[in-house]
Amino acid sequence: INWSFKGTNITVNQSQDEVRDPLFGTCISLTGCTDEPYLLQVAFKVRIGQPGSADAWVVTGSTMPSLAPGDSLALSGGQQAKVDFTGVQPLDILSALNPANKMDVVGVYTWAVDEDAINSLTGGAGSVATIFKNALNATLAAGTLPNQDANALVGMIFDALFDNIGTPFNLILSNIPCLGLCDDVLGGAVYVGIGATGALAGIMDAALASATVPAIDIPLVDVPPNIQGGGFFTMGGTKNFTQAFTGAGGQHTYGFQSGPA
């Protein structure tokens, strides 16, 4: 099957760019007092126990219109930064009993961004994608499914992804100060999809209902951003999420949706 993950809506709770004269309330920000948000998603996919099956790539959403604090927008087209996971082979209970069948895991590391004069994030996001691909090939693709234990599987995924974040050259470049003119990242969230359908999806959904995405501080750098939340989904049906991203002096709240592509 083909599955997808996309943004559906945004509310600007607090403008990241807004700076005003304390006496008269006049906007004195060099980039204006409205935000120009967009989503950047580092997507990943791996088949557990199939060597070399991992892949990771970057999807950059279209910049949205200028939004002031309190403004909301329903996302459409490129604004959704839609990630398509093609050729997923979800397992049900009977197919999972056959050890020859492997479980797919997909997901996104979503960045909430405010556009400024200089896009400094492309290289850093690409470096993160490369790190994810190599890490997943070295761990999940070369490993075995932990007895369909949802919590153990979640632990494996997050250990694989975030124990391996380093400081390659492009990440260093993404953190060089540029006098407030570079695109700003408010925060990150991770959404993980388990390749399960039918009754197995129901079992996994119930097990994952109590699972939480751990808050992960990535020290010393702004890119990649700290993990502020996220969630889990299966291929049993459409699922919606809401996440507030707070950082760089602003707050944006997004809606997301996982579902058939």
Side-chain angles (χ1 to χ4, degrees), residues 84-230:
D84 289 318
F85 302 102
T86 59
V88 178
Q89 298 179 10
L91 303 182
D92 204 338
I93 289 178
L94 289 179
S95 56
L97 294 175
N98 183 347
N101 294 327
K102 312 297 183 183
M103 176 170 281
D104 286 342
V105 172
V106 303
V108 294
Y109 178 15
T110 299
W111 303 5
V113 184
D114 179 51
E115 182 182 73
D116 285 328
I118 301 172
N119 183 340
S120 58
L121 302 178
T122 303
S127 290
V128 172
T130 299
I131 292 169
F132 279 8
K133 178 179 179 179
N134 292 338
L136 291 170
N137 270 328
T139 53
L140 271 67
T144 56
L145 187 65
N147 298 319
Q148 300 176 29
D149 182 328
N151 290 309
L153 178 56
V154 167
M156 284 177 60
I157 294 166
F158 278 87
D159 288 346
L161 295 177
F162 292 101
D163 282 355
N164 293 279
I165 289 288
T167 54
F169 184 65
N170 280 331
L171 289 183
I172 295 172
L173 287 180
S174 296
N175 286 281
I176 293 176
C178 49
L179 305 177
L181 298 177
C182 291
D183 290 0
D184 295 292
V185 185
L186 280 71
V190 177
Y191 295 91
V192 176
I194 308 299
T197 190
L200 181 58
I203 293 170
M204 297 295 284
D205 283 332
L208 291 169
S210 60
T212 58
V213 173
I216 300 176
D217 289 331
I218 301 174
L220 305 178
V221 297
D222 296 322
V223 178
N226 293 338
I227 309 305
Q228 300 181 0

Side-chain angles (χ1 to χ4, degrees), residues 34-52:
T34 58
D35 288 352
E36 293 72 39
Y38 69 90
L39 289 170
L40 187 154
Q41 306 211 73
V42 182
F44 55 89
K45 177 182 178 184
V46 63
R47 184 161 294 166
I48 299 175
Q50 183 170 315

Side-chain angles (χ1 to χ4, degrees), residues 232-254:
F232 305 94
F233 58 90
T234 65
M235 280 67 179
T238 298
K239 188 171 183 179
N240 296 303
F241 302 92
T242 301
Q243 176 65 43
F245 298 90
T246 304
Q251 184 183 72
H252 297 171
T253 298
Y254 279 91

